[in-house]
Every structure is written in structure tokens, then in C-alpha cells.
Amino acid sequence: MTQQHEQQATLNSLVIFYQDMQSQPLNQLATIYHQDILLVDPVGQHHGLQSLTDYFAALLKNLRYCRFEITHQHAFDQGAMLLWRMVYAHPALQRGAAQSLEGCSYLTFRDARVIFQRDYYDLGEMLYEKVPLLGSAIRALKRRLKP
């Protein structure tokens, strides 16, 4: 299998994993991510497979459910770009109602595994705007910024 085919197979596995994270075993991450993975998102940086596994375990423990709808993917040389919609529910946000968040991920590969992932999304939209008092203040500020 060529390197490009191996990367595409890993990308396909990643997409399947994210489509229903709650039902996927976290030990499957080792088949997708390189041992030296660096994942960077608005929450922080997570370096190494164990750190990433711990991060996902903590996230999933607090969510009622979490899945990603991949709306577009583009693979190129040593990388890929994914556009996605995260659908989730957290008991402390909006009384546990379903939430969605648009974002994208930039990925690079080494040895047919993801070695780097940078996730871009609006943490304010995901979290801060959902907190009762803080959310009201942020929405008011946004209204004031509009022309």
C-alpha cells in the first residue's frame, strides 16, 4: 500500500471514530494517532498519545453524547483538512439540550498516523455563551459591536 493510501485509510478511520466518539473504544486512538501526537485546540495543547487519550476520556466523561458530522474533507501530500459540525450535549449547558458547533481540523501525518492536529472552533460559542450570566454579557457585547 502506498503512503498516500495508508494516510487515506487513517483519515477514514479518524472520520469513523469521530462520527460517534461515545461508542468508540479509546484504545483505538493508537491506530489513528502517532505516539508523539500534538493536538492543539482552543482548550490547550495535548502532547503524546497518553495525554490525548486522557483528554478525550475527560471530555467524554462529562458529555451526555458527542459526535462529529464531517461536512468536507480534503487530503493532500502529508496532510488533510476536515470541516465538521460537532453535535453534543452537556448536562450543565443549556439544561442538557443538544448543541452544535462548526469547526475545522488541520492534520499532518507521519508513519501513516496523525502526528499533528490543530482544531479551530469558537470556544465562546461552545461554552462561554451557554453559561447563564456570562452568556448574556457576551451576547450583549456582540450586539454592540454590530454596525
Side-chain angles (χ1 to χ4, degrees), residues 29 33 37 39 46-57:
L29 293 173
Y33 290 99
I37 177 64
L39 183 137
H46 315 282
H47 188 258
L49 188 56
Q50 188 59 56
S51 175
L52 181 68
T53 301
D54 294 345
Y55 176 55
F56 282 0

Side-chain angles (χ1 to χ4, degrees), residues 31-82:
T31 67
I32 299 169
Y33 290 99
H34 193 279
Q35 188 68 31
D36 295 323
I37 177 64
L38 174 59
L39 183 137
V40 180
D41 67 9
V43 174
Q45 294 188 12
H46 315 282
H47 188 258
L49 188 56
Q50 188 59 56
S51 175
L52 181 68
T53 301
D54 294 345
Y55 176 55
F56 282 0
L59 284 175
L60 293 173
K61 182 177 116 181
N62 295 318
L63 293 171
R64 286 190 176 159
Y65 61 86
C66 180
R67 70 178 184 279
F68 287 77
E69 299 165 358
I70 308 303
T71 57
H72 182 76
Q73 62 179 291
H74 177 71
F76 50 89
D77 297 331
Q78 297 294 315
M81 188 67 136
L82 299 173

Side-chain angles (χ1 to χ4, degrees), residues 64 89-99 130-132:
R64 286 190 176 159
H90 189 288
L93 299 175
Q94 305 289 301
R95 301 176 196 243
Q99 307 293 314
K130 310 287 195 249
V131 177

